[in-house]
Amino acid sequence: QVQVVESGGGLVQPGGSLRLPCAASGPIHRISFMGWYRQAPEKQRDLVAASTKDGSLQYADSARGRSTIAGDNSDHAIFMQIDSLSPEDTAVYYCNADDQRTDGEVLSSWGQGNHVIVSS
């Protein structure tokens, strides 16, 4: 089972920035996708930003223009930075990694979640 380890999070003032690193480790075959999701209280978990195996980047509308996701899937590590934070960005942030086996099966692993609170 692939392990996903996250760091970062905590209390951030409005207008500030947040940097969230994430790394996958363990019996990895091929990481095909790594991304950051978030879940606000009483809401579903939504994608914030992601990097796919072909090098393409994905951003949610709420994050586009003020977020950056970077890293190298071959190194099994990414980081996401979000600028211009507002209280609406308060949520638990989760890192996800998809490991693609040689038979095509994809196993998805999640980190433990990092609490981010945007407040003055």
Side-chain angles (χ1 to χ4, degrees):
Q1 181 73 26
V2 173
Q3 289 84 44
V4 176
V5 178
E6 311 148 331
S7 59
L11 178 65
V12 185
Q13 290 197 346
S17 297
L18 183 69
R19 184 182 173 98
L20 297 173
C22 171
S25 62
I28 292 172
H29 296 82
R30 183 186 184 194
I31 298 296
S32 59
F33 173 97
M34 288 191 77
W36 278 97
Y37 291 73
R38 69 185 182 186
Q39 187 168 17
E42 301 181 357
K43 293 188 177 181
Q44 67 181 20
R45 187 176 299 185
D46 292 324
L47 177 71
V48 181
S51 174
T52 62
K53 63 180 178 181
D54 61 1
S56 64
L57 304 177
Q58 303 173 13
Y59 294 96
D61 289 343
S62 61
R64 188 173 292 113
R66 63 186 182 99
S67 298
T68 301
I69 189 164
D72 185 346
N73 284 359
S74 64
D75 290 333
H76 313 142
I78 61 171
F79 75 89
M80 179 178 71
Q81 178 161 327
I82 305 178
D83 301 319
S84 303
L85 289 166
S86 71
E88 287 70 33
D89 293 310
T90 294
V92 180
Y93 284 71
Y94 297 91
C95 185
N96 169 257
D98 287 346
D99 182 34
Q100 186 173 23
R101 299 190 171 189
T102 53
D103 61 3
E105 182 182 11
V106 176
L107 297 180
S108 189
S109 299
W110 292 87
Q112 76 282 2
N114 281 12
H115 288 262
V116 173
I117 300 173
V118 183
S119 176
S120 56

